Amino acid sequence: MANSLRSEVKKLYKNLLYLGREYPKGADYFRSRLKAAFLKNKDETDPEKIKQLIARGEFVIKELEALYFLRKYRAMKQRYYSDDKP
């Protein structure tokens, strides 16, 4: 049981680290905040609490993806549509 949770946590960390490369405030800022968040909970041993933390991390992934899609949408809209229309 513990090994499966450990692998899930490592997978979550890697996914967040990958998504953090395009973070608006910079990859270094995101990496330091991510590392601090994971180190804060490194001594957690309760499987239910770990599952809750993993679910929170997956929520953060969804929020980051939404942020990136919105940024891409705004860039495409700005590129192809002018704001001069009445």
Side-chain angles (χ1 to χ4, degrees):
M1 176 92 174
N3 279 340
S4 66
L5 288 177
R6 182 178 178 87
S7 64
E8 283 186 53
V9 170
K10 288 172 76 173
K11 180 180 159 188
L12 176 68
Y13 186 81
K14 287 180 182 182
N15 286 340
L16 283 167
L17 199 57
Y18 177 77
L19 286 173
R21 294 183 310 157
E22 296 181 27
Y23 194 69
K25 289 189 176 181
D28 292 332
Y29 173 81
F30 186 85
R31 188 180 314 117
S32 65
R33 299 279 307 256
L34 179 65
K35 185 176 180 180
F38 272 76
L39 286 177
K40 182 176 84 172
N41 296 308
K42 73 176 184 172
D43 295 326
E44 190 62 52
T45 57
D46 182 28
E48 291 303 316
K49 178 69 174 170
I50 294 172
K51 288 178 185 176
Q52 288 176 352
L53 292 169
I54 290 171
R56 184 173 179 211
E58 290 171 353
F59 175 77
V60 170
I61 286 175
K62 290 178 185 174
E63 290 291 317
L64 283 171
E65 288 173 344
L67 174 73
Y68 296 155
F69 285 134
L70 180 62
R71 186 172 65 182
K72 288 179 183 178
Y73 169 76
R74 286 181 177 164
M76 295 295 283
K77 186 177 177 184
Q78 183 180 16
R79 193 173 298 150
Y80 293 109
Y81 297 104
S82 65
D83 292 335
D84 299 342
K85 295 180 181 179

